[in-house]
Amino acid sequence: MITILLLFQTSNDTAYWNRFAERMAQKIIKEGGEDALYDLQYIKDSTGKYLIFNKRWIYTTPSGYKIFYRTPVAIKLPDNSPENLPDLILLYLEKKQYTKERLLEFVSIGFGCGIVTLGALISVIAGMTR
C-alpha cells in the first residue's frame, strides 16, 4: 500500500514541477526574448538556487534612435525543487524556440514536394496527350 502511495505522490510531484518549469519558461521567453535560452544560467549557493537571465528592452529616443538595454534578472527557485528543474526549464525553452523553425521547415519541404509532384503530373498529362 505504501508503494502505491509513493507512486501517486511522485507522479503528482513530477506533474507539478513540469507545470512549474513550463510557466518559468514562458516567463523567461516573455521577459528575455526568443533568444533567452542562450543567456540562462543556473547558480546554486548557500542562499538557494537561482536562474539568471537577461531581460531585454528597447528605448526609443525622441530623435528616433533605438537603445537596446539588457538587465540581469535573478529568479529564486523553491528550496524543495528537484535537481533537474533547470534541465526541465531548458527543455521547455528549446521546445518553444524550435517550434517555429521546425514548422517553417515542414512547410518549405511540403511546398517543394508539392511543386515537384505537380510538375510530374503535368508532364504525365502532357505525355499522354501526344
Side-chain angles (χ1 to χ4, degrees), residues 39-92:
D39 295 333
L40 194 64
Q41 296 175 350
Y42 174 68
I43 297 176
K44 181 179 178 181
D45 60 2
S46 61
T47 60
K49 303 173 190 175
Y50 297 94
L51 277 177
I52 298 175
F53 67 96
N54 289 322
K55 181 178 180 179
R56 291 184 166 82
W57 47 285
I58 301 170
Y59 174 74
T60 305
T61 60
S63 61
Y65 291 108
K66 291 186 177 182
I67 302 172
F68 299 92
Y69 289 101
R70 292 186 334 166
T71 307
V73 177
I75 299 174
K76 186 171 184 341
L77 299 175
D79 292 332
N80 61 348
S81 63
E83 291 298 321
N84 67 342
L85 185 61
D87 296 332
L88 285 173
I89 293 172
L90 280 174
L91 178 74
Y92 282 110

Side-chain angles (χ1 to χ4, degrees), residues 2 4 13 45 56 82 91 95 113:
I2 294 173
I4 294 174
D13 285 346
D45 60 2
R56 291 184 166 82
L91 178 74
K95 187 166 82 170
C113 290

Side-chain angles (χ1 to χ4, degrees), residues 11-27:
S11 66
N12 289 337
D13 285 346
T14 56
Y16 170 76
W17 290 115
N18 283 336
R19 286 192 308 271
F20 181 79
E22 188 173 3
R23 286 193 315 263
M24 293 300 294
Q26 289 173 354
K27 180 179 181 177

